[in-house]
mmCIF file of all heavy atoms in Angstrom:
data_model
loop_
_atom_site.group_PDB
_atom_site.id
_atom_site.type_symbol
_atom_site.label_atom_id
_atom_site.label_comp_id
_atom_site.label_asym_id
_atom_site.label_seq_id
_atom_site.Cartn_x
_atom_site.Cartn_y
_atom_site.Cartn_z
ATOM 1 N N LEU A 708 309.145 -52.640 -145.354
ATOM 2 C CA LEU A 708 308.792 -51.254 -145.365
ATOM 3 C C LEU A 708 309.749 -50.410 -146.157
ATOM 4 O O LEU A 708 310.954 -50.732 -146.221
ATOM 5 C CB LEU A 708 308.591 -50.710 -143.930
ATOM 6 C CG LEU A 708 307.586 -51.388 -143.114
ATOM 7 C CD1 LEU A 708 307.648 -50.799 -141.712
ATOM 8 C CD2 LEU A 708 306.158 -51.269 -143.722
ATOM 9 N N ARG A 709 309.276 -49.287 -146.635
ATOM 10 C CA ARG A 709 310.184 -48.363 -147.391
ATOM 11 C C ARG A 709 311.175 -47.772 -146.429
ATOM 12 O O ARG A 709 310.807 -47.225 -145.403
ATOM 13 C CB ARG A 709 309.425 -47.353 -148.114
ATOM 14 C CG ARG A 709 308.523 -47.894 -149.146
ATOM 15 C CD ARG A 709 307.853 -46.777 -149.896
ATOM 16 N NE ARG A 709 306.849 -47.273 -150.885
ATOM 17 C CZ ARG A 709 306.077 -46.489 -151.646
ATOM 18 N NH1 ARG A 709 306.165 -45.133 -151.495
ATOM 19 N NH2 ARG A 709 305.264 -46.991 -152.590
ATOM 20 N N PRO A 710 312.391 -47.901 -146.769
ATOM 21 C CA PRO A 710 313.410 -47.231 -145.902
ATOM 22 C C PRO A 710 313.360 -45.749 -145.947
ATOM 23 O O PRO A 710 312.985 -45.190 -146.974
ATOM 24 C CB PRO A 710 314.738 -47.807 -146.439
ATOM 25 C CG PRO A 710 314.450 -48.082 -147.914
ATOM 26 C CD PRO A 710 313.060 -48.530 -147.966
ATOM 27 N N GLY A 711 313.719 -45.150 -144.803
ATOM 28 C CA GLY A 711 313.799 -43.718 -144.781
ATOM 29 C C GLY A 711 312.478 -42.969 -144.589
ATOM 30 O O GLY A 711 312.478 -41.753 -144.533
ATOM 31 N N LEU A 712 311.339 -43.657 -144.492
ATOM 32 C CA LEU A 712 310.028 -43.034 -144.331
ATOM 33 C C LEU A 712 309.515 -43.038 -143.058
ATOM 34 O O LEU A 712 308.571 -42.392 -142.718
ATOM 35 C CB LEU A 712 309.085 -43.632 -145.388
ATOM 36 C CG LEU A 712 309.419 -43.488 -146.820
ATOM 37 C CD1 LEU A 712 308.296 -44.114 -147.697
ATOM 38 C CD2 LEU A 712 309.482 -42.011 -147.216
ATOM 39 N N ARG A 713 310.034 -44.010 -142.164
ATOM 40 C CA ARG A 713 309.433 -44.072 -140.752
ATOM 41 C C ARG A 713 310.044 -42.859 -140.011
ATOM 42 O O ARG A 713 311.207 -42.745 -139.836
ATOM 43 C CB ARG A 713 309.824 -45.377 -140.156
ATOM 44 C CG ARG A 713 309.204 -45.598 -138.754
ATOM 45 C CD ARG A 713 309.667 -46.893 -138.191
ATOM 46 N NE ARG A 713 309.208 -47.942 -139.051
ATOM 47 C CZ ARG A 713 308.007 -48.584 -138.874
ATOM 48 N NH1 ARG A 713 307.135 -48.023 -137.997
ATOM 49 N NH2 ARG A 713 307.561 -49.520 -139.667
ATOM 50 N N PRO A 714 309.235 -42.056 -139.295
ATOM 51 C CA PRO A 714 309.714 -41.014 -138.395
ATOM 52 C C PRO A 714 310.207 -41.513 -137.077
ATOM 53 O O PRO A 714 309.940 -42.633 -136.742
ATOM 54 C CB PRO A 714 308.448 -40.114 -138.241
ATOM 55 C CG PRO A 714 307.341 -41.041 -138.377
ATOM 56 C CD PRO A 714 307.753 -42.123 -139.298
ATOM 57 N N VAL A 715 311.040 -40.753 -136.531
ATOM 58 C CA VAL A 715 311.548 -41.121 -135.205
ATOM 59 C C VAL A 715 310.398 -41.012 -134.216
ATOM 60 O O VAL A 715 309.379 -40.414 -134.510
ATOM 61 C CB VAL A 715 312.752 -40.190 -134.772
ATOM 62 C CG1 VAL A 715 313.915 -40.432 -135.711
ATOM 63 C CG2 VAL A 715 312.187 -38.735 -134.833
ATOM 64 N N ALA A 716 310.586 -41.728 -133.115
ATOM 65 C CA ALA A 716 309.421 -41.813 -132.160
ATOM 66 C C ALA A 716 309.093 -40.554 -131.538
ATOM 67 O O ALA A 716 307.973 -40.254 -131.206
ATOM 68 C CB ALA A 716 309.860 -42.865 -131.073
ATOM 69 N N ASN A 717 310.028 -39.603 -131.309
ATOM 70 C CA ASN A 717 309.770 -38.380 -130.651
ATOM 71 C C ASN A 717 309.616 -37.177 -131.618
ATOM 72 O O ASN A 717 309.788 -36.053 -131.191
ATOM 73 C CB ASN A 717 310.863 -38.109 -129.638
ATOM 74 C CG ASN A 717 312.234 -37.939 -130.265
ATOM 75 O OD1 ASN A 717 312.370 -38.298 -131.493
ATOM 76 N ND2 ASN A 717 313.172 -37.565 -129.561
ATOM 77 N N SER A 718 309.199 -37.502 -132.869
ATOM 78 C CA SER A 718 309.082 -36.420 -133.811
ATOM 79 C C SER A 718 307.754 -35.646 -133.491
ATOM 80 O O SER A 718 306.763 -36.279 -133.180
ATOM 81 C CB SER A 718 309.018 -37.016 -135.275
ATOM 82 O OG SER A 718 308.772 -35.940 -136.153
ATOM 83 N N VAL A 719 307.831 -34.400 -133.744
ATOM 84 C CA VAL A 719 306.623 -33.574 -133.470
ATOM 85 C C VAL A 719 305.928 -33.223 -134.774
ATOM 86 O O VAL A 719 304.955 -32.552 -134.729
ATOM 87 C CB VAL A 719 306.975 -32.263 -132.703
ATOM 88 C CG1 VAL A 719 307.574 -32.604 -131.348
ATOM 89 C CG2 VAL A 719 307.984 -31.465 -133.491
ATOM 90 N N ASP A 720 306.442 -33.714 -135.920
ATOM 91 C CA ASP A 720 305.829 -33.439 -137.186
ATOM 92 C C ASP A 720 304.792 -34.441 -137.427
ATOM 93 O O ASP A 720 305.113 -35.516 -137.852
ATOM 94 C CB ASP A 720 306.872 -33.401 -138.309
ATOM 95 C CG ASP A 720 306.371 -32.821 -139.591
ATOM 96 O OD1 ASP A 720 305.056 -32.753 -139.669
ATOM 97 O OD2 ASP A 720 307.132 -32.371 -140.465
ATOM 98 N N VAL A 721 303.541 -34.099 -137.253
ATOM 99 C CA VAL A 721 302.451 -35.047 -137.407
ATOM 100 C C VAL A 721 302.245 -35.404 -138.828
ATOM 101 O O VAL A 721 301.870 -36.514 -139.183
ATOM 102 C CB VAL A 721 301.160 -34.497 -136.789
ATOM 103 C CG1 VAL A 721 299.969 -35.463 -136.915
ATOM 104 C CG2 VAL A 721 301.365 -34.148 -135.332
ATOM 105 N N ASP A 722 302.452 -34.450 -139.724
ATOM 106 C CA ASP A 722 302.266 -34.719 -141.192
ATOM 107 C C ASP A 722 303.206 -35.817 -141.654
ATOM 108 O O ASP A 722 302.765 -36.855 -142.311
ATOM 109 C CB ASP A 722 302.520 -33.430 -142.047
ATOM 110 C CG ASP A 722 301.460 -32.467 -141.849
ATOM 111 O OD1 ASP A 722 300.395 -32.860 -141.352
ATOM 112 O OD2 ASP A 722 301.680 -31.261 -142.166
ATOM 113 N N ASP A 723 304.467 -35.780 -141.179
ATOM 114 C CA ASP A 723 305.319 -36.876 -141.586
ATOM 115 C C ASP A 723 304.913 -38.151 -140.938
ATOM 116 O O ASP A 723 305.051 -39.258 -141.581
ATOM 117 C CB ASP A 723 306.792 -36.485 -141.148
ATOM 118 C CG ASP A 723 307.304 -35.331 -141.984
ATOM 119 O OD1 ASP A 723 306.754 -35.054 -143.058
ATOM 120 O OD2 ASP A 723 308.218 -34.627 -141.436
ATOM 121 N N PHE A 724 304.477 -38.117 -139.724
ATOM 122 C CA PHE A 724 303.984 -39.306 -138.985
ATOM 123 C C PHE A 724 302.812 -39.969 -139.705
ATOM 124 O O PHE A 724 302.879 -41.234 -139.964
ATOM 125 C CB PHE A 724 303.595 -38.941 -137.549
ATOM 126 C CG PHE A 724 303.001 -40.091 -136.783
ATOM 127 C CD1 PHE A 724 303.891 -41.043 -136.201
ATOM 128 C CD2 PHE A 724 301.678 -40.257 -136.655
ATOM 129 C CE1 PHE A 724 303.398 -42.076 -135.475
ATOM 130 C CE2 PHE A 724 301.136 -41.299 -135.934
ATOM 131 C CZ PHE A 724 301.948 -42.216 -135.354
#
Side-chain angles (χ1 to χ4, degrees):
L708 299 176
R709 295 182 182 180
L712 295 179
R713 181 184 301 274
V715 295
N717 60 352
S718 175
V719 297
D720 192 341
V721 180
D722 290 343
D723 294 339
F724 176 79

